Amino acid sequence: METEVKKKNEMWEWSKALLIAFGLAAIIRFFLFTPIVVDGESMMPTLEHGDRMIVNKIGYSVGEPDRFDIIVFHAPEEKDYIKRIIGLPGDYVAYEDDQLYINGEAVEEPYLDIYKQGITGTLTEDFVLEDVTGESIIPEGSMFVMGDNRRASKDSRHIGLVSTEEVIGDTSFVFWPLPEAGIVK
């Protein structure tokens, strides 16, 4: 009789432990961090197709986005995109002769140096940011994003500004494949 009670207690303890573990995993997955797989070549050479990353969902609820953060957001095509923040609210963004200008000041993009080697012509075509109203300044609650593979990226130049409400979180850690694991810049 005593061994039957011990078995029931042991079974109850294991059940509680499993429920707590699944509950914690669900909370972490839905509210704190989530995995994502890079789909496509728009962030090459920084990120490769198939890279698996961790998305930090709480970063922007306690802080502000920074220029050049890599973010994941819901795109108009009902899919999630991974891009780099180029312009923040209040910014005027332009490109001329493969040089980024923010508010009239030249800004370096060292993460593109590798990609610029071995190409003919410019990586990023000239443009001046303007929305449908002809405004050139990014409004509050929006950001301008671009992929690092500028010639093959569907980004704010095509889909428009990204609402901060559509941002899932930022990401900078590749966990798979193992040879590529680590923090990306």
Side-chain angles (χ1 to χ4, degrees), residues 13-29:
E13 291 301 318
W14 274 105
S15 299
K16 282 194 316 190
L18 287 173
L19 283 172
I20 291 169
F22 284 125
L24 285 174
I27 288 169
I28 290 169
R29 170 84 161 81

Side-chain angles (χ1 to χ4, degrees), residues 97-114:
D97 296 326
D98 228 6
Q99 175 64 57
L100 171 63
Y101 291 91
I102 303 287
N103 304 322
E105 301 282 328
V107 176
E108 295 302 315
E109 295 177 284
Y111 50 87
L112 294 180
D113 290 345
I114 294 171

Side-chain angles (χ1 to χ4, degrees), residues 84-98:
R84 190 180 295 274
I85 298 173
I86 302 298
L88 296 166
D91 285 346
Y92 169 86
V93 178
Y95 245 93
E96 187 178 321
D97 296 326
D98 228 6

Side-chain angles (χ1 to χ4, degrees), residues 63-145:
E64 294 293 318
D66 290 322
R67 187 177 329 282
F68 305 133
D69 282 356
I70 298 173
I71 63 167
V72 178
F73 62 95
H74 300 301
E77 291 85 17
E78 302 300 317
K79 122 180 226 192
D80 295 337
Y81 279 11
I82 299 176
K83 304 291 179 199
R84 190 180 295 274
I85 298 173
I86 302 298
L88 296 166
D91 285 346
Y92 169 86
V93 178
Y95 245 93
E96 187 178 321
D97 296 326
D98 228 6
Q99 175 64 57
L100 171 63
Y101 291 91
I102 303 287
N103 304 322
E105 301 282 328
V107 176
E108 295 302 315
E109 295 177 284
Y111 50 87
L112 294 180
D113 290 345
I114 294 171
Y115 205 65
K116 287 181 179 179
Q117 296 172 4
I119 64 167
T120 306
T122 59
L123 179 61
T124 310
E125 74 279 355
D126 292 355
F127 72 88
V128 173
L129 171 66
E130 288 186 350
D131 67 12
V132 291
T133 65
E135 270 299 309
S136 296
I137 295 179
I138 300 170
E140 249 343 282
S142 297
M143 55 185 79
F144 185 86
V145 298

Side-chain angles (χ1 to χ4, degrees), residues 15-51:
S15 299
K16 282 194 316 190
L18 287 173
L19 283 172
I20 291 169
F22 284 125
L24 285 174
I27 288 169
I28 290 169
R29 170 84 161 81
F30 291 111
F31 298 109
L32 303 176
F33 303 99
T34 191
I36 192 165
V37 178
V38 176
D39 182 20
E41 300 176 347
S42 72
M43 284 298 291
M44 285 179 59
T46 307
L47 301 173
E48 301 286 333
H49 175 74
D51 282 353

